[in-house]
Amino acid sequence: MSSIIFTLFLLLGLKVTGTTTDAWRNCADLLPLDLLSFVLERDPSKLVPGVNMKQAGGVIGVQFSSPHPSMSFPSSQLLVDCDLFPKEFSFVVTIKVSATATKGNEYIFSLLEPKKKEKREGVREEEETNNGNENGNILQRNKDSEQHGEREKKMQVKSQVDGGRIILGLRFSRKRLHFLYTGHGGVTEHWVFGGARLADNQWHTLVLAVSSQHVRLTVDCNSPLEIVPSRPFPSDLNIQGARFHIGSRGRWKGLYSGLLRQLVLVPGSDATHYVCPSSDPKLAALSVPPLLSDLPATGRNNDNHVTSYDSEERVSVGLERSCSELLQGQMWFNPLKKGLYLCDGSVWIAVLEDHKRLDYVLEHQVLTTSSETHDIEVFQVPGVGLMAAMAHRSLASGSAVYLWSHSGFQLYQNISTYEALAWRHFSMGKKIYLVVSNSGGGPDKHLNKESGTDFSVIYKWSKRSKKFVQFQTLQTHCARDWEAFSINRQTYLAVANHRQGDTNHTIDSVIYKWNKLTKSFEVHQTLPTFGAYDWEYFTVGPYHFLVVANAFDGVTTTVDSVIYIWINGSFQMFQTIKTFCATDWEMFQIGARVFLVVANGHRLQGKGPSQYAINSTIYELDMNGQVFVRFQDIVTYSAVDWEFFSLGEEHFLVVANSFNGESYSLNSILYRWQGYEGFVPVHWLPTIGCSDWEFFSLRGESYLIYSSAKAPLSKVFKLKTY
């Protein structure tokens, strides 16, 4: 892909005629310039000392162990006949940084002015102060180097590559990305992107685009972060005699410790449109050096020049470990489960596990509840454990939150609710919330019965009392579901309003947005719905989608459900799909394939009889046609929920069959992905009025829990694997 894009640039470049006679050319008409290829030989045996090839996640990058002179070159060799740096440009960078990286600043690249024999008084001293005294104490550094037997080596490198102050540079810390340049009057300017958290053991492709009006940073083809500077980038930035330094600023301090795979300068152009959208946005490529792209990493496992980057992470070994913020980035190997896990600050994420295969399903716990249950939400509270919020039908007992103990779920907290239909868990920063869908209106329901107005409630986790406490109430209309999601670092809640009063199903559902000033959710957008039952939010690459399950328009259950796409700050219609009392949507991915499955409840036309044994349908996204197309039909019985999960390399769907026209006691079915055959039934699970399924994993074990809307019980099943 990168070679095709580069060929396109080359063809475009043939149209450039002549060279300017202007003595101060700022190079706006150049082709993309591959800085990394400029310093790397094609032959890995010719790698210079201090430059190593590392493999991470099947992808190869380079790592620097010293600021070697060969990683530096005069800017005039790349920006030929250019005295001024382009006033508009972009950089395309692909990096991977360990979560255990130093908290200090590390330079991905820098452009330094020529080294002066004498310090320029005042300006030089100011630059030293601005850069945190990066020179340090030379005598002390020499003393430290002597202790490691590297004094002569470091001083030799320093004398060859250390230059003057920074003209231009890109550096990062664990939580920020910094772009530096020498501004007007010789003052070092800093543009800082605070939301770019790159130290997470993942590959990331960044596009930093600078124009006269704004600066944009695009990470993995997502929506860009934008800065509108008070002063534009200078059009007269002199680079005569300057040198590029790759992976450093010409010194040991600030040496880049991660992996670098791509570093391209595109003068006069925003390169975002050349690499995005991409089927693999974390590795979107404009130009990758041949040394890193000629052969796949898997073909170089025995190459002495390529070593593993991931194996250098800190790894603890044991049967059980707790994950906390202090251990974020720590890896743990469980010899019993033969699994490697990464701590994300709250839970262990499986990195590599022995391939599990589902053997059979074992009933683990029968949980007696205070009343029938419409919905279960399973989530983690750091420092407390695994919890399950259950939406109970009863007005008297309300709903409840359960906490997992060694044997199963135990009652933890009762919460007053009014014919609750659903719970949704979400977080903002380190704060944890629950929002409930109330359909009973509350204690004063009789006062506003005609309006059909209910009040759903948001609860906030109190670290002090270790309970959920009421935070905000929102007016809803027989709310069937809540969906929480984040777009461009903004938090949203979508409510599925089912009906107003007893007969009006044609009403708006609402998107709420978090207001940081008022510290509350406020109406952002309304969308027309027809007996809305469920919202499902999902992303495909940089695009955000929201799909509604429309169940009934007042006459028939044969209504269109709608997929919306986020465009310019609001959701716009993307596609409609004919459904039959749609009660749930579930999005899932298998490899690069994207699917949506709908749970169809029943067919009803006017006063005719209902059909409960009908097809629920799986749709697949056609990437070329940009539309979801029918993939597979599965016969279900008044289905109200789908749950997708994976065990090892196997993928499963379980359906909540609730009613067959005669009985609520019937089997809900577990399906396994069989590739070309689609999903095939493998296990039949006895349920009573099944209303919801949730999958969860804990301490290496996997479970399913279902709720019953017709009996005061829920059941936990343990998935036995081999």
Side-chain angles (χ1 to χ4, degrees):
M1 182 64 182
S2 60
S3 61
I4 295 174
I5 296 175
F6 235 60
T7 302
L8 176 62
F9 275 121
L10 183 59
L11 292 174
L12 293 173
L14 293 176
K15 297 181 181 180
V16 179
T17 59
T19 57
T20 180
T21 56
D22 187 354
W24 295 94
R25 187 183 176 200
N26 65 5
C27 310
D29 56 352
L30 294 179
L31 299 176
L33 305 171
D34 189 341
L35 278 68
L36 194 54
S37 289
F38 199 80
V39 296
L40 292 180
E41 297 282 351
R42 183 182 288 267
D43 185 354
S45 65
K46 296 182 180 180
L47 286 173
V48 298
V51 180
N52 307 290
M53 293 172 61
K54 299 282 186 177
Q55 174 183 318
V59 180
I60 295 178
V62 293
Q63 187 178 41
F64 307 100
S65 58
S66 70
H68 196 274
S70 64
M71 292 295 103
S72 168
F73 57 91
S75 62
S76 60
Q77 293 182 9
L78 196 66
L79 298 165
V80 180
D81 297 328
C82 298
D83 302 305
L84 306 177
F85 199 81
K87 61 182 179 180
E88 295 191 354
F89 57 91
S90 56
F91 282 98
V92 181
V93 186
T94 300
I95 59 174
K96 177 182 170 72
V97 183
S98 164
T100 59
T102 175
K103 294 183 180 180
N105 293 314
E106 297 183 359
Y107 286 81
I108 297 171
F109 81 91
S110 60
L111 179 63
L112 305 184
E113 68 178 10
K115 185 177 181 181
K116 301 290 192 299
K117 290 185 178 181
E118 297 180 1
K119 290 183 179 179
R120 292 180 297 171
E121 295 298 330
V123 175
R124 182 67 175 182
E125 292 176 4
E126 179 184 357
E127 193 275 333
E128 291 296 338
T129 303
N130 288 339
N131 289 282
N133 193 21
E134 290 186 2
N135 276 326
N137 186 308
I138 298 297
L139 293 177
Q140 181 62 43
R141 185 167 62 180
N142 287 346
K143 181 178 179 181
D144 294 340
S145 302
E146 232 173 25
Q147 294 175 352
H148 293 84
E150 295 185 359
R151 173 182 177 182
E152 294 181 0
K153 176 181 176 182
K154 287 191 177 183
M155 292 305 294
Q156 181 182 10
V157 170
K158 175 176 171 61
S159 65
Q160 293 182 48
V161 303
D162 195 6
R165 68 174 179 173
I166 289 182
I167 297 176
L168 195 80
L170 186 65
R171 77 185 188 197
F172 81 95
S173 57
R174 292 186 66 179
K175 297 182 180 180
R176 294 177 177 85
L177 188 75
H178 308 252
F179 181 70
L180 300 83
Y181 66 91
T182 300
H184 302 285
V187 177
T188 302
E189 301 278 358
H190 294 249
W191 291 338
V192 182
F193 293 91
R197 295 178 179 268
L198 304 174
D200 59 359
N201 295 298
Q202 300 290 324
W203 284 102
H204 293 289
T205 294
L206 323 176
V207 181
L208 179 70
V210 177
S211 70
S212 58
Q213 302 296 325
H214 54 251
V215 187
R216 289 195 179 111
L217 175 68
T218 302
V219 181
D220 301 334
C221 291
N222 288 308
S223 299
L225 305 173
E226 184 171 316
I227 293 176
V228 179
S230 57
R231 292 185 295 271
F233 187 83
S235 59
D236 57 350
L237 187 59
N238 188 354
I239 58 172
Q240 286 185 308
R243 295 183 68 89
F244 278 103
H245 295 261
I246 309 302
S248 75
R249 62 156 301 180
R251 302 173 179 175
W252 284 85
K253 188 171 184 178
L255 181 67
Y256 176 57
S257 63
L259 296 185
L260 180 61
R261 178 171 172 82
Q262 179 176 218
L263 180 57
V264 183
L265 167 63
V266 183
S269 178
D270 183 348
T272 308
H273 304 296
Y274 302 129
V275 297
C276 297
S278 170
S279 59
D280 192 358
K282 290 181 179 294
L283 293 168
L286 178 58
S287 179
V288 176
L291 177 66
L292 308 180
S293 61
D294 280 351
L295 294 175
T298 53
R300 291 180 171 178
N301 286 341
N302 297 322
D303 192 329
N304 293 330
H305 301 288
V306 182
T307 58
S308 172
Y309 175 77
D310 297 321
S311 63
E312 297 177 4
E313 301 297 327
R314 297 177 297 154
V315 180
S316 61
V317 179
L319 297 181
E320 189 169 338
R321 291 286 188 275
S322 61
C323 174
S324 64
E325 291 185 15
L326 295 176
L327 293 178
Q328 185 170 1
Q330 172 78 45
M331 303 191 79
W332 161 48
F333 178 73
N334 186 328
L336 183 61
K337 300 296 180 183
K338 298 180 181 178
L340 185 64
Y341 306 90
L342 174 68
C343 176
D344 72 349
S346 60
V347 297
W348 291 104
I349 306 299
V351 177
L352 182 66
E353 287 184 312
D354 192 22
H355 297 323
K356 293 181 178 180
R357 297 182 66 86
L358 181 62
D359 190 7
Y360 60 93
V361 179
L362 179 68
E363 186 176 286
H364 179 77
Q365 181 188 12
V366 178
L367 180 62
T368 302
T369 54
S370 60
S371 76
E372 300 88 341
T373 304
H374 289 284
D375 179 71
I376 301 176
E377 177 80 347
V378 179
F379 57 96
Q380 284 273 356
V381 175
V384 179
L386 184 77
M387 289 187 162
M390 298 192 183
H392 294 328
R393 179 181 178 182
S394 171
L395 284 169
S397 61
S399 295
V401 177
Y402 295 80
L403 177 66
W404 183 271
S405 67
H406 64 280
S407 59
F409 284 110
Q410 305 294 328
L411 180 62
Y412 183 82
Q413 179 184 358
N414 287 308
I415 298 178
S416 295
T417 55
Y418 303 94
E419 297 180 19
L421 295 177
W423 284 103
R424 187 66 67 233
H425 152 264
F426 65 99
S427 59
M428 291 188 291
K430 296 181 180 180
K431 298 176 181 178
I432 299 171
Y433 299 85
L434 276 176
V435 58
V436 66
S437 299
N438 281 323
S439 66
D444 300 325
K445 177 69 174 181
H446 64 282
L447 298 177
N448 55 4
K449 185 175 181 180
E450 295 300 322
S451 68
T453 299
D454 309 312
F455 290 94
S456 294
V457 183
I458 302 172
Y459 297 88
K460 180 181 177 182
W461 176 257
S462 169
K463 293 183 179 180
R464 183 177 180 181
S465 64
K466 296 192 180 300
K467 300 282 186 181
F468 283 98
V469 297
Q470 186 168 318
F471 177 75
Q472 182 183 357
T473 59
L474 294 169
Q475 180 178 308
T476 54
H477 302 284
C478 190
R480 296 288 325 195
D481 181 58
W482 285 96
E483 184 77 343
F485 52 93
S486 178
I487 300 177
N488 299 335
R489 295 181 295 169
Q490 298 288 336
T491 302
Y492 297 86
L493 287 175
V495 64
N497 284 324
H498 185 64
R499 69 173 186 270
Q500 187 171 11
D502 294 330
T503 58
N504 183 15
H505 292 79
T506 305
I507 57 174
D508 288 341
S509 291
V510 183
I511 312 294
Y512 296 91
K513 181 181 179 181
W514 175 253
N515 187 322
K516 295 181 180 179
L517 297 178
T518 63
K519 297 188 183 302
S520 63
F521 283 94
E522 299 175 354
V523 175
H524 175 72
Q525 182 182 4
T526 59
L527 294 170
T529 52
F530 304 92
Y533 223 94
D534 178 67
W535 284 109
E536 175 82 350
Y537 167 81
F538 62 97
T539 61
V540 179
Y543 303 103
H544 305 267
F545 294 90
L546 194 62
V547 56
V548 64
N550 283 326
F552 187 57
D553 65 1
V555 178
T556 178
T557 60
T558 304
V559 293
D560 286 339
S561 290
V562 184
I563 304 172
Y564 296 92
I565 186 170
W566 181 266
I567 299 176
N568 296 328
S570 65
F571 284 103
Q572 309 295 327
M573 186 181 294
F574 174 77
Q575 181 183 351
T576 60
I577 296 178
K578 188 70 67 180
T579 53
F580 308 95
C581 189
T583 55
D584 181 61
W585 283 101
E586 178 87 349
M587 178 271 186
F588 59 93
Q589 287 187 254
I590 298 177
R593 302 172 69 177
V594 178
F595 298 90
L596 273 176
V597 58
V598 64
N600 284 322
H602 64 277
R603 287 188 180 182
L604 172 66
Q605 184 70 40
K607 296 182 180 180
S610 292
Q611 294 177 265
Y612 297 99
I614 60 175
N615 285 331
S616 291
T617 304
I618 302 172
Y619 298 88
E620 181 175 8
L621 179 59
D622 180 347
M623 295 292 187
N624 295 323
Q626 297 183 359
V627 65
F628 282 92
V629 297
R630 185 185 302 270
F631 173 76
Q632 181 183 1
D633 289 323
I634 298 176
V635 176
T636 55
Y637 300 89
S638 193
V640 291
D641 183 56
W642 284 102
E643 180 79 356
F644 173 82
F645 63 94
S646 298
L647 291 175
E649 294 185 338
E650 291 190 324
H651 310 287
F652 299 89
L653 276 173
V654 60
V655 65
N657 285 325
S658 66
F659 185 58
N660 63 5
E662 297 179 355
S663 174
Y664 295 101
S665 297
L666 65 162
N667 289 321
S668 292
I669 302 175
L670 183 63
Y671 299 86
R672 177 191 287 131
W673 172 255
Q674 293 290 100
Y676 177 77
E677 300 177 58
F679 285 90
V680 299
V682 290
H683 289 281
W684 286 256
L685 305 174
T687 55
I688 304 172
C690 185
S691 58
D692 188 31
W693 281 104
E694 288 291 316
F695 170 83
F696 63 95
S697 295
L698 192 67
R699 301 186 182 95
E701 302 287 353
S702 298
Y703 302 87
L704 282 171
I705 181 172
Y706 96 87
S707 58
S708 171
K710 294 299 175 180
L713 62 85
S714 293
K715 283 188 179 181
V716 179
F717 295 92
K718 190 173 185 178
L719 305 179
K720 301 299 291 185
T721 58
Y722 65 94

